[in-house]
Amino acid sequence: MRLEAILLLAVAAGTARGAGGFGALTGLAGGAADKLTQGVDKITSSLSNKDDCSRDVTEDFRRALYDFSTRLYKQVAQRASDHFTLSQFSAWLSLAAIAENTSGEEQKALLENLRLPAAECLRKKYYELALSLEPAGDDVTLARRRLLLVQPPAQLPANFSQRAGSLLQACQVDPAATAKDELKLSTAPAPASALLADSLDYSALWTSAFPEANIKRNQPFYDDNGKQIGTVDLMKIKKRVKLAHLPILNAKVLELPVGSDGRFRMLMLVNLGVLPIRHTVEIFQNTIIIDIFDKLLESAIPLEVSIPIFNLTSELKLRESLEAMGVNSVWKSSPAPAEYYQRVSVAVSPRGVSEGAPSSGSTLGSLLGAATGLAAAVGREFTANRPFMFGLVDKRTRTCLFTGAYSKPPSPS
């Protein structure tokens, strides 16, 4: 079978080059034949090792999260008018816990939607990696709760905690009242026999602070058409930063280090030109996240960065969005949650681990004619004074821990 595979590949290669039939084999002498054999070896090795529990799953884990995160982001954005914050990471872990406590076709469908492997040993490696991404520290706070709330006397699945206790905490309580109290919801959910619920409170220190003297108060914030719709306090700094140009979106992305040694990265995306942020969300694909990291380049000179101070809290009902993605078996499991509530609060302030360098207009002025080392389209600054997308990423695995979009600042005073 191995020789037959090599011969078939050789014939296909010869045909592609215009050679006929087995005449193509004359081009396989020596090193060429060895290279073809090595290629077959790589293919067969990849197929045989996909369920190898000893292999590194970091890349597969990252792509699974990218895929799920992108699909859920687009669904939520449609329902939240492009002004929200969302933790797909929490939702993915909670649904994975449900998957571990189901079986048969229901489990298979949910695992496929989460892009989780069929091999249990590999899924365990995914979860271990996921749960290692948010170490506690004074520089970054990522306070999370993930809950499955079940009204007594209904029973939890047998061995629930043993199978998924690290991913999702299960409690026999009044679901509606507990969800309101534990998630700090502004409105109590409707009574239900079971609910899924999670929350995230984020605050952090930038690796380098934005100097207080460079905060410009009550600066105009515009809609996608250039009309002022509110005001924000803009934090300004001049430094060498990483920027990427994404031609497919006609947008640019800023990367700013967060926490000690920049262990996290905040990404912020603004459109170039007049395209609305709604258009960007609609055409956004999971592969674009990979493009962002591949295209990020550090500027050769200091550039001016201006981003708003903001506090954004979203209280979301995720069931409708998840069902639109094909996540259906969760609501039929036992116990069947009636809804999935998520509250995410993101606070972005000027504070940093170390003091930021004071702005120097004279220094920048002397560099105005110097090359930035970046794509010409990104210009010489990054100003988030119009609708923008944002997300926090783990530096090591490039995993999105939360994302969002900001488009509705306070009204002008």
Side-chain angles (χ1 to χ4, degrees), residues 25 35 40 54 56 68 113 128 130 149 153 160 209 233 263 286 291 305 367 389 411:
L25 289 176
K35 289 181 180 178
V40 174
S54 64
D56 184 3
F68 179 82
N113 213 302
E128 289 173 350
L149 306 171
F160 183 94
D233 294 338
R263 62 194 180 104
N286 64 325
D291 289 340
V305 172
L367 294 170
M389 298 164 64
S411 299

Side-chain angles (χ1 to χ4, degrees), residues 28-42:
L28 293 176
D34 289 339
K35 289 181 180 178
L36 183 56
T37 302
Q38 292 168 8
V40 174
D41 285 340
K42 287 182 179 179

Side-chain angles (χ1 to χ4, degrees), residues 13-34:
T15 302
R17 291 193 299 269
F22 285 99
L25 289 176
T26 59
L28 293 176
D34 289 339

Side-chain angles (χ1 to χ4, degrees), residues 80-159:
S81 302
D82 305 321
H83 187 75
F84 68 96
T85 184
L86 164 72
S87 179
Q88 303 97 312
F89 179 70
S90 278
W92 187 85
L93 284 173
S94 295
L95 295 176
I98 299 297
E100 294 301 327
N101 284 276
T102 56
S103 59
E105 290 301 314
E106 287 187 1
Q107 183 186 59
K108 181 181 177 182
L110 189 49
L111 292 179
E112 288 178 352
N113 213 302
L114 299 174
R115 302 300 187 258
L116 279 164
E120 186 175 352
C121 59
L122 287 176
R123 297 202 301 273
K124 183 178 179 181
K125 295 182 75 169
Y126 278 52
Y127 305 150
E128 289 173 350
L129 184 57
L131 295 173
S132 72
L133 299 183
E134 299 176 343
D138 295 332
D139 56 338
V140 178
T141 298
L142 287 157
R144 293 188 186 269
R145 297 294 304 273
R146 288 188 295 274
L147 304 169
L148 172 61
L149 306 171
V150 180
Q151 179 74 57
Q155 296 296 311
L156 294 168
N159 303 318

Side-chain angles (χ1 to χ4, degrees), residues 311-324:
N311 290 277
L312 180 57
T313 297
S314 292
E315 296 181 6
L316 304 169
K317 295 181 181 181
L318 295 181
R319 176 170 176 170
E320 183 180 2
S321 295
L322 290 167
E323 286 182 326

Side-chain angles (χ1 to χ4, degrees), residues 146-285:
R146 288 188 295 274
L147 304 169
L148 172 61
L149 306 171
V150 180
Q151 179 74 57
Q155 296 296 311
L156 294 168
N159 303 318
F160 183 94
S161 295
Q162 289 87 337
R163 296 190 64 82
S166 59
L167 308 179
L168 181 66
Q169 181 183 357
C171 310
Q172 289 185 290
V173 291
D174 177 350
T178 304
K180 183 179 187 303
D181 293 342
E182 292 295 326
L183 269 63
K184 304 173 185 175
L185 297 175
S186 59
T187 303
S193 57
L195 292 174
L196 275 169
D198 76 59
S199 64
L200 167 65
D201 291 279
Y202 167 83
S203 62
L205 303 177
W206 299 104
T207 301
S208 296
F210 286 80
E212 292 289 336
N214 290 355
I215 297 176
K216 306 302 180 184
R217 305 290 177 181
N218 299 315
Q219 298 299 296
F221 191 95
Y222 305 94
D223 65 14
D224 290 313
N225 297 314
K227 177 184 176 182
Q228 183 177 347
I229 55 173
T231 59
V232 293
D233 294 338
L234 282 180
M235 306 180 290
K236 294 178 174 282
I237 197 168
K238 289 173 183 173
K239 61 181 294 185
R240 294 177 63 190
V241 293
K242 284 189 174 183
L243 283 168
H245 176 226
L246 302 177
I248 190 173
L249 299 179
N250 193 30
K252 58 181 174 180
V253 179
L254 170 73
E255 179 192 79
L256 289 177
V258 175
S260 300
D261 301 321
R263 62 194 180 104
F264 299 104
R265 294 286 196 265
M266 181 69 81
L267 300 179
M268 306 185 84
L269 179 152
V270 295
N271 282 338
L272 300 168
V274 297
L275 285 176
I277 201 72
R278 157 72 18 222
H279 176 267
T280 306
V281 171
E282 288 174 351
I283 67 174
F284 202 92
Q285 302 294 328

Side-chain angles (χ1 to χ4, degrees), residues 221 232-235 268 306-310 348 384-385 388 406:
F221 191 95
V232 293
D233 294 338
L234 282 180
M235 306 180 290
M268 306 185 84
S306 301
I307 63 174
I309 298 172
F310 67 90
V348 174
N385 63 354
F388 61 88
Y406 186 92

